[in-house]
Amino acid sequence: MQNIDYTQLLQDLTEEYRLRNPRSAAMDEKARQYLVDGGSHAIRLLQPFPPRITWARGAWLRDEDGHHLLDYWQGHLGNLLGHNPEVITATLGAAFEAGVGLQTGMTEGLQIECAQILCQQTGAERVRFTTSGTLATMYAIWLGRAYTGRDLIMKVGGGWHGAHPWGLTGVSYRDEYQGVETEGLTEAIADEVLVTRFNDPGILSDHFKQYGERIACFIVEPFIGAGGSIPATQEYLETARQMTEQYGSILILDEVISGFRFRAGDVGALYGVRPDLAVFGKIIGGGMPVAAVAGRADLMEQVGRAKNHKVKFSGGTYSAHPASLLATKTILNHLVAQEAEIYPRLAAFGEQTRRTFEAAFIQEGILARCTGGESEVLPGSSLFRIHFPFRDDLLINTPEIAFDPRVCDVQLSQNVLGLAWLLEDVHMLHSHGAVSSVHAEAELAFLEQASRRVARRVKAGIDSARIS
Ligand code: PMP
């Protein structure tokens, strides 16, 4: 099953997609006259052009060509309650109706309420809000460096923390990591970043033994998202906590994906691991641009007056924006109040969704495996990533394995399937997604039919392809 040439299948899918989406195609022509590649976020810009969305509600989207798309991308995995949930839109609508909600550039009570909930639900002592996960992880790194007076940042290979200078090292793996993955920064940035391997406590310990005195902070996702939808093992996170303590380094848990996804709080708690700093984003914004750094008071205080604003985690015209924080307060309260119903339901539908994907491909003789499900630590999960391993016994526990074209059919999962799903009115990016709390039986039934057709189509494409 290796090295399948998908050129013909991709051409057929592209052709069909063009015919099926004339309005989105025409809009793309225009978009590219004004926007680079027709948009503002590379991974949204599907080739040959993205479907342009006109409406989004619950599990569904509608596009310019009138297709109703079952969506598993759910706003970059931010929409835990589905698109435009009424609990949020009604609250924001009422605020706007009352003539408030837009930018004030002042400080109000909402911030206190949001920070209080975050502290109560995560064990953090202080919070500061900003507008994106990228900024939040960057500031958390600065805090770690300033506090320790050290310069080395350790991160996990394949871990995505946003496009800031240190986040752009050690993301894409092609036999090795390639240094800084953008032009416009100095290569010296790469020397400040030590890349370690996810879920490998042995290598982690070795890195600490060798460089521990220089490591300011170790930033890691407890559930690696872009790196393959893989939970950390208990042993790995425990080792991370133990080693950072031993060497006086700061442990930053990047919970931008995992925060409030598995419970109404951080996922570190499920591991019994309390980080020095945690970063939240996505879900906590309730569909608005909010992110937060939350953690130990003595660390966080470096941004404040007591420490003479030593770390300039500050500025941000739209930081702690009133409408955004109203959405944050609303969703956090909702998740806390409904925790016992929402999370088991997400886990149950998540599991059925993963099984549905796998079964459809396996029925066609294509080995498929979904990562992202329950683990020794996680009681269940709404996340998934579909992989096509070449061997049944392959353990997909690191990004390097998940995206190694020698062991998994990465071309199929990353490049071919997006269009194949869309032709069946299902949307996800790079075979990666999540169910929301409103994905239900009807969506599962729809998905089952769609998956069967996609799998049949892929099988036919593989059969007629030249196998090199
Ligand atoms: N950390 C993680 C784990 C993420 O998945 C992301 C975004 N996908 C970020 C940080 C960056 O967040 P944002 O896109 O809000 O800047």
Side-chain angles (χ1 to χ4, degrees), residues 41 76 131-135 137 160-162 221 225-226 254-257 282:
H41 194 304
H76 291 243
T131 42
S132 73
T134 303
L135 281 171
T137 59
W160 176 252
H161 305 290
E221 295 165 80
D254 181 345
E255 296 237 18
V256 169
I257 285 184
K282 297 200 192 273

Side-chain angles (χ1 to χ4, degrees), residues 188-205:
I189 297 279
D191 300 335
E192 298 173 9
V193 182
L194 182 62
V195 180
T196 189
R197 191 174 164 95
F198 189 61
N199 269 344
D200 193 327
I203 292 182
L204 188 66
S205 302

Side-chain angles (χ1 to χ4, degrees), residues 332-353:
L332 294 185
N333 277 327
H334 182 82
L335 294 177
V336 171
Q338 308 287 318
E339 183 170 22
E341 289 81 50
I342 288 177
Y343 291 96
R345 190 178 189 283
L346 280 168
F349 277 101
E351 182 60 15
Q352 291 188 65
T353 301

Side-chain angles (χ1 to χ4, degrees), residues 391-434:
R391 272 186 10 236
D392 200 13
D393 60 350
L394 185 73
L395 180 63
I396 304 174
N397 67 342
T398 71
E400 291 85 356
I401 292 173
F403 300 111
D404 183 344
R406 290 165 300 199
V407 295
C408 287
D409 192 340
V410 182
Q411 169 80 340
L412 177 58
S413 59
Q414 299 291 102
N415 300 332
V416 178
L417 276 183
L419 281 178
W421 288 120
L422 272 177
L423 290 172
E424 298 299 338
D425 292 336
V426 175
H427 177 251
M428 70 187 85
L429 283 190
H430 301 309
S431 302
H432 178 204

